[in-house]
Amino acid sequence: MKYCRTLLFLALGLFIPFFSFPSSVTLAPDGKIKNIRDAIFLFEDQEGTKTIRQVMQAGTFEALPVGVPNLNISSSSFWLKFTLDNPTKLQDFLLELWQPTIDSVSLFIVKDGRIISEQHLGEHYPYDQRKYDHQNFIFDVNIAPGAAVTCYLKVKSGQLMMIPLAIGKPTDIMESLLRKDLIFGLYFGIILAIFFYNLFIYFSVQDKSYLFYVGYIILVGLVQAGLQGYTFRFFWPGVPFLADQSIVILPAITGVVAIEFMKVFLQTKQYYPGFTKGFLFFQGFYAVCIALSLAKQYNLSQALIQLSALLAALYMIVLAVMIARKGSRPAKFFLIAWVIFLLGIWIYILKDMGFLPYNFLTYYILEIGSGIEGLLLSFALADRINTLKQEKAIEQAKALEVLQENERIIKEQNITLEKRVKERTAALEASNRELKDTQAQLVNSEKMASLGQLTAGIAHELNNPINFVSGNVDPLKRDINDVTDLLARYDALKVGENIDQDLEDIHKMRKDLDIDYTLEEIDTLLNGIDEGAARTANIVKGLREFARLDQGDFSSANINSGIESTLAILSGKFGDTIRLETEFGQIPEIECYPGQLNQVFMNIFVNGIQAVEAKNEPGKISVQTGQENGNLFIRIEDDGVGMDESTQSRIFDPFFTTKDVGEGTGLGLSISHGIIKKHKGNISVMSEKGKGTTFLITLPLQISE
Amino acid sequence: MSEEEKIRILYVDDDEHNLNSFKASFRRKYDVHIAESAYAGFELLKEHDFHIILTDQRMPSMTGVEFLEQVIKKYPDPIRMLVTGYTDIEAVIDAINKGKVYNYIKKPWEEDDLIVMIENAYEVYDLRRKNAELIKKLEEANEQLEFLLRQRLLD
């Protein structure tokens, strides 16, 4: 809106019309409203100190061209002179100056060189002192019917001033004022509606351009209201200072916000980032204007704002055209809105200059143009949101496509992966089966190793007694033969002939055969056989005890006898360097797998024997059994080489062995551990390197299977 | 074979039943001496000239191989044999390398097999002895010849 007056100024500069000057203004018949646009004379009092008398006497008035008088920004006081002829029968008229932002206005009515009326109005006078409650300046003019008066209008303001004057009978003027209020009310209503509507849209959409737009639109409304004097009339009627400031500061803020809005709306940063930086210059310019205004430099500030607005508007239009050429829909809407707005300004100017008739459209074209601009921009915003939405939808569709493609790929990969997992699982199952087979084989081979130890152990034990049993038979036969031969000789002895000689022969034979020794030997040999048989029987008995290993039955057994039979089998291994100490406690029979427990004992004994042998000095192994806390315990202790901690921690691990490759399966203690666990018992080891090792086995007295 | 010419055998074993059995089996054929330990064996070695020595491997305090090792140092001539009920390859290897045994006999033994082994062993013993005697005679003859040769040369 603020551009309008700049453009007005420009337009007027471009089209200076030339008309003949009538010398006076004739009032309309019946007192209808008449616009005063010709026969006006102007005198500029540069100091602004001249009184009405001085002006009347020495004022050098010059005729103004036809149209609404247009005064430059200046600190001067302007005097307008016009003569009113009253051809009507009416006497009371009202003169309306439709320019509410003038600082001070004074009207002097002169008739026949005499001042008959003097009225002072303006923004520098408090509003409530006005006779007529309106922001436009209303003066009483009394002209006798058929008479004429000369009016001197003194105006002073720091701004560019249009001086649209109209005169008519009071009812008409008041009616026109009411109409103006109504129209402006309508306009401001539209602005407010647009403001709130878009504000709510902003709350819902959260798009920044809406925020700038609502700021822009409400500021435009306020500026327009300020220009029309409504802000002075309604918002700060008693504060002329605010009236002054608002006229400058509001347009400046509007300019800043408008630039921000357009930047966002036209997406200038996206199209022309370099040009966008140029706006900073204008915004800085506006800031300077605000500072000047606050420093009460109204005239300069006003002039700079006009300049800035003009340049910014041109800059913006050029940029909008450039962006529109690139196919931006918002830019096109923007240009249409602006063209309509500018069209409104031109129509307004042409009307003021008399090229267009005064009618409703031309009279309120500024408000109409501004309202349409606001609506179009609002529409453009909605369209922009739509465009953005469509773009988003397209993007989403693309994203969806990508997602679907990804999903498809993932599905394919899943299928491949599942296949691979299946293959891998199959392979794992196969190797697991192989492992189980191997484990079974290993367990079996460990069993075989146990059996091997067992047979090696018993072989020697058996071979000795068998040796002297079988070896004694032949000499025994020979001895008995000798004895029988001797007996036969006795039998063949015949009483009478040569009996002495025969007896002597027999005696000699007896001596030759050494029968006494033979008899003694027979005794020894029989003892040997007896001993051998007993020993053999004993070993076989132990073997049978131990060999319960192979019968996997869960049966009742005495652990003490199991240990004894194991020791019997191993007796050959102990030799003479290892002393065995047993301390069997009173323990009840327990339900167990006796053969498997014997295997455990044998494993521990064999390890103990090896540990003692490795020490190369006489040692001992002790076994202790007993009952404790409802458990049965077996403690097997040796004073062999012992183990370090890392070995201790691993001895129950499968395949862990300290023996040379091929000498141990590494499974003995691992299997023993499994066997004890199967009996719900516990096996633990305590050892110290160089001191010996103790195995402690505990078994519950009641094993529920 | 006269009493003097009977094969003289020493058998060492820690088990007296084995000793009795051995003696009963072979006393008629051979001059059998028995010892219950390696130490007792050494004592007997001091008193008699044995042709053949048999020893059990597994004995307390000194094994058969260790005993034979000691025997070789003082009495290298008797033929040595190891008797054991124990099939331990280490013992066999030691018996051959350290004990320098002529034969390895497993318990329980077969009397006939043992007799063949003893006879064979004695034959070896006898041949060695005779060989040594012949060499000795040959050397003597050689010396005499050399003496004669020197005299001839002086003449």
Side-chain angles (χ1 to χ4, degrees):
Chain A
M1 268 345 90
K2 65 199 177 299
Y3 306 122
C4 83
R5 291 198 302 162
T6 311
L7 291 162
L8 267 172
F9 175 61
L10 275 176
L12 289 174
L14 285 170
F15 305 99
I16 297 168
F18 296 96
F19 285 97
S20 58
F21 303 124
S23 58
S24 68
V25 178
T26 309
L27 299 189
D30 304 331
K32 288 226 160 40
I33 294 171
K34 161 110 186 158
N35 290 309
I36 303 168
R37 283 190 288 169
D38 51 7
I40 301 172
F41 298 85
L42 176 71
F43 165 66
E44 187 177 346
D45 170 17
Q46 283 177 340
E47 285 83 34
T49 53
K50 294 204 161 55
T51 62
I52 178 68
R53 299 264 168 224
Q54 288 169 326
V55 170
M56 278 165 71
Q57 283 163 12
T60 50
F61 283 93
E62 280 168 25
L64 281 175
V66 172
V68 175
N70 184 5
L71 308 176
N72 289 320
I73 297 173
S74 155
S75 54
S76 316
S77 289
F78 291 98
W79 291 85
L80 293 168
K81 187 178 97 177
F82 49 90
T83 306
L84 298 170
D85 285 335
N86 182 8
T88 67
K89 291 175 180 146
L90 300 168
Q91 190 177 351
D92 292 333
F93 295 93
L94 292 178
L95 176 71
E96 183 200 358
L97 168 52
W98 187 10
Q99 177 54 279
T101 59
I102 298 168
D103 294 344
S104 65
V105 190
S106 301
L107 181 70
F108 302 92
I109 301 172
V110 178
K111 196 179 178 192
D112 305 328
R114 201 163 50 85
I115 298 163
I116 56 168
S117 164
E118 187 178 333
Q119 293 162 64
H120 302 282
L121 288 172
E123 280 192 329
H124 282 185
Y125 297 95
Y127 186 81
D128 51 13
Q129 287 176 9
R130 292 192 185 184
K131 182 177 174 190
Y132 298 98
D133 178 19
H134 202 272
Q135 73 275 13
N136 290 352
F137 302 112
I138 313 293
F139 301 97
D140 289 318
V141 179
N142 285 311
I143 315 172
V149 292
T150 302
C151 296
Y152 289 89
L153 189 69
K154 181 195 176 189
V155 291
K156 184 171 165 53
S157 183
Q159 311 172 34
L160 190 72
M161 277 186 297
M162 301 293 289
I163 311 291
L165 290 163
I167 187 154
K169 63 183 183 206
T171 49
D172 282 18
I173 289 289
M174 290 321 259
E175 213 174 276
S176 119
L177 289 176
L178 278 177
R179 200 162 50 239
K180 279 171 188 161
D181 284 355
L182 183 70
I183 298 294
F184 190 81
L186 272 173
Y187 166 75
F188 204 73
I190 288 169
I191 293 293
L192 276 182
I194 292 172
F195 169 74
F196 281 112
Y197 174 69
N198 285 291
L199 186 66
F200 294 143
I201 287 181
Y202 166 71
F203 287 142
S204 126
V205 180
Q206 298 282 320
D207 187 294
K208 213 166 66 178
S209 58
Y210 272 97
L211 190 64
F212 287 119
Y213 178 63
V214 296
Y216 168 68
I217 206 84
I218 196 69
L219 282 166
V220 162
L222 284 174
V223 167
Q224 196 67 17
L227 290 174
Q228 297 289 345
Y230 285 102
T231 49
F232 182 58
R233 177 173 165 192
F234 293 114
F235 296 164
W236 39 79
V239 197
F241 169 75
L242 272 181
D244 279 342
Q245 293 284 3
S246 69
I247 291 299
V248 184
I249 291 175
L250 274 179
I253 295 173
T254 309
V256 173
V257 174
I259 285 170
E260 280 306 315
F261 165 62
M262 284 159 192
K263 264 159 71 177
V264 175
F265 181 73
L266 296 176
Q267 292 168 297
T268 57
K269 221 176 239 175
Q270 214 167 306
Y271 288 102
Y272 295 103
F275 280 100
T276 308
K277 279 178 191 156
F279 285 121
L280 276 176
F281 166 74
F282 295 109
Q283 286 172 333
F285 215 87
Y286 278 123
V288 171
C289 293
I290 291 170
L292 283 172
S293 170
L294 289 172
K296 297 207 170 178
Q297 298 294 318
Y298 297 126
N299 290 355
L300 183 58
S301 170
Q302 182 86 18
L304 286 177
I305 280 179
Q306 306 270 346
L307 182 63
S308 173
L310 175 67
L311 293 175
L314 282 172
Y315 194 80
M316 179 58 68
I317 285 169
V318 170
L319 199 56
V321 170
M322 280 159 67
I323 291 171
R325 276 190 168 181
K326 286 201 168 183
S328 158
R329 272 167 71 95
K332 285 172 187 164
F333 271 105
F334 180 81
L335 282 174
I336 291 169
W338 265 82
V339 165
I340 286 171
F341 180 52
L342 289 179
L343 217 66
I345 291 172
W346 282 100
I347 289 168
Y348 186 83
I349 293 164
L350 290 175
K351 177 234 1 169
D352 267 356
M353 293 196 324
F355 290 111
L356 285 172
Y358 260 79
N359 59 29
F360 179 83
L361 190 72
T362 54
Y363 212 76
Y364 296 106
I365 194 68
L366 276 186
E367 277 78 7
I368 292 167
S370 159
I372 290 173
E373 186 211 7
L375 284 171
L376 270 173
L377 285 179
S378 180
F379 183 59
L381 263 180
D383 183 74
R384 187 169 158 275
I385 293 291
N386 246 358
T387 313
L388 286 178
K389 245 192 206 166
Q390 276 170 3
E391 277 170 16
K392 216 177 221 174
I394 290 168
E395 259 172 41
Q396 275 176 344
K398 271 186 196 163
L400 195 71
E401 218 169 89
V402 171
L403 273 179
Q404 279 170 342
E405 177 65 14
N406 279 350
E407 203 182 317
R408 197 181 57 76
I409 291 169
I410 287 170
K411 267 185 192 164
E412 271 174 19
Q413 282 174 339
N414 269 354
I415 291 167
T416 317
L417 278 174
E418 266 170 32
K419 214 169 105 191
R420 273 198 209 158
V421 166
K422 261 182 204 159
E423 285 169 5
R424 193 63 61 82
T425 310
L428 278 173
E429 274 170 3
S431 63
N432 195 23
R433 257 199 311 279
E434 267 173 41
L435 268 177
K436 271 186 183 163
D437 288 352
T438 315
Q439 196 194 16
Q441 279 173 7
L442 281 168
V443 168
N444 214 28
S445 74
E446 170 61 22
K447 214 173 203 175
M448 291 309 287
S450 286
L451 276 171
Q453 255 162 356
L454 188 143
T455 37
I458 60 171
H460 183 251
E461 293 309 306
L462 272 175
N463 283 341
N464 269 312
I466 285 171
N467 186 52
F468 54 76
V469 169
S470 67
N472 283 8
V473 173
D474 283 345
L476 192 61
K477 275 185 193 163
R478 282 194 291 270
D479 285 354
I480 289 170
N481 275 344
D482 284 355
V483 175
T484 344
D485 282 355
L486 191 68
L487 276 176
R489 288 292 291 272
Y490 277 116
D491 283 349
L493 199 66
K494 287 188 177 115
V495 183
E497 315 160 22
N498 293 335
I499 189 151
D500 289 340
Q501 182 58 44
D502 284 346
L503 272 174
E504 200 170 314
D505 285 350
I506 291 172
H507 198 71
K508 189 177 179 288
M509 180 185 177
R510 187 181 167 139
K511 206 180 167 187
D512 284 347
L513 287 175
D514 199 355
I515 285 299
D516 292 338
Y517 179 80
T518 304
L519 287 175
E520 208 180 296
E521 194 178 70
I522 286 171
D523 208 32
T524 316
L525 290 173
L526 283 173
N527 274 341
I529 289 170
D530 195 25
E531 169 74 19
R535 264 204 235 172
T536 309
N538 208 27
I539 290 166
V540 171
K541 189 179 153 223
L543 187 64
R544 205 171 50 212
E545 279 270 317
F546 186 84
R548 295 172 85 167
L549 177 76
D550 294 328
Q551 63 185 74
D553 287 348
F554 196 68
S555 58
S556 189
N558 190 308
I559 296 299
N560 286 348
S561 61
I563 294 171
E564 272 178 328
S565 71
T566 308
L567 287 171
I569 285 162
L570 290 171
S571 63
K573 284 204 160 248
F574 279 93
D576 282 314
T577 52
I578 302 170
R579 193 154 41 88
L580 179 66
E581 285 177 5
T582 53
E583 189 187 332
F584 292 126
Q586 283 288 324
I587 51 172
E589 290 198 341
I590 59 164
E591 294 285 317
C592 61
Y593 295 98
Q596 293 187 355
L597 288 180
N598 288 349
Q599 192 183 347
V600 173
F601 304 142
M602 190 165 85
N603 269 318
I604 296 172
F605 283 132
V606 167
N607 283 331
I609 290 165
Q610 284 166 348
V612 176
E613 279 174 351
K615 227 177 167 182
N616 279 325
E617 55 187 74
K620 68 161 187 182
I621 289 176
S622 61
V623 194
Q624 194 190 357
T625 61
Q627 233 177 298
E628 202 176 69
N629 304 328
N631 281 328
L632 189 153
F633 72 86
I634 302 117
R635 191 197 313 276
I636 299 171
E637 204 172 341
D638 69 63
D639 60 358
V641 287
M643 297 172 277
D644 57 30
E645 282 194 9
S646 70
T647 309
Q648 277 182 59
S649 66
R650 296 183 62 196
I651 57 162
F652 295 118
D653 293 351
F655 307 112
F656 177 76
T657 179
T658 55
K659 296 170 191 166
D660 289 340
V661 177
E663 281 196 12
T665 57
L667 282 174
L669 284 174
S670 154
I671 288 170
S672 300
H673 187 258
I675 291 168
I676 298 299
K677 285 291 161 201
K678 197 155 94 182
H679 286 81
K680 308 260 186 311
N682 191 39
I683 179 166
S684 61
V685 64
M686 286 148 284
S687 183
E688 197 176 329
K689 190 118 181 122
K691 291 266 176 74
T693 304
T694 304
F695 279 93
L696 180 66
I697 297 169
T698 55
L699 293 168
L701 290 171
Q702 299 291 329
I703 305 169
S704 50
E705 206 183 359
Chain B
M1 242 189 272
S2 71
E3 187 76 16
E4 287 300 309
E5 287 165 32
K6 260 190 182 177
I7 300 170
R8 206 171 299 113
I9 299 172
L10 171 64
Y11 178 52
V12 184
D13 195 319
D14 61 324
D15 194 329
E16 82 167 302
H17 297 288
N18 278 326
L19 293 174
N20 291 335
S21 180
F22 187 85
K23 190 173 180 184
S25 298
F26 302 108
R27 69 176 168 87
R28 286 185 174 82
K29 238 173 144 69
Y30 310 119
D31 182 12
V32 177
H33 297 255
I34 52 175
E36 270 198 68
S37 72
Y39 303 103
F42 284 127
E43 292 303 314
L44 285 174
L45 276 165
K46 284 180 196 160
E47 292 163 23
H48 307 278
D49 255 347
F50 291 106
H51 302 138
I52 293 166
I53 301 170
L54 289 104
T55 175
D56 183 32
Q57 164 62 8
R58 277 182 65 99
M59 293 184 293
S61 66
M62 192 183 273
T63 65
V65 171
E66 283 164 352
F67 169 66
L68 291 180
E69 240 183 313
Q70 297 295 318
V71 170
I72 291 169
K73 293 175 188 165
K74 267 187 159 179
Y75 313 97
D77 293 340
I79 303 295
R80 294 164 299 274
M81 289 197 269
L82 195 73
V83 186
T84 181
Y86 185 69
T87 47
D88 181 351
I89 189 74
E90 288 295 322
V92 176
I93 290 167
D94 282 355
I96 292 168
N97 292 345
K98 296 177 182 170
K100 308 243 175 352
V101 298
Y102 169 74
N103 228 324
Y104 184 91
I105 298 150
K106 259 171 76 179
K107 284 181 190 170
W109 59 63
E110 283 295 322
E111 201 180 293
D112 293 341
D113 292 349
L114 209 54
I115 289 170
V116 171
M117 278 185 224
I118 289 168
E119 295 295 334
N120 285 343
Y122 180 72
E123 209 177 317
V124 172
Y125 175 84
D126 199 40
L127 282 173
R128 280 185 194 162
R129 197 183 58 187
K130 280 177 177 159
N131 192 24
E133 272 173 18
L134 284 173
I135 286 169
K136 203 178 162 195
K137 277 180 184 163
L138 201 62
E139 279 172 350
E140 279 171 9
N142 207 19
E143 271 175 31
Q144 277 173 357
L145 280 172
E146 276 180 15
F147 178 74
L148 283 174
L149 188 65
R150 251 180 267 131
Q151 276 203 332
R152 180 87 48 92
L153 283 170
L154 286 172
D155 291 340

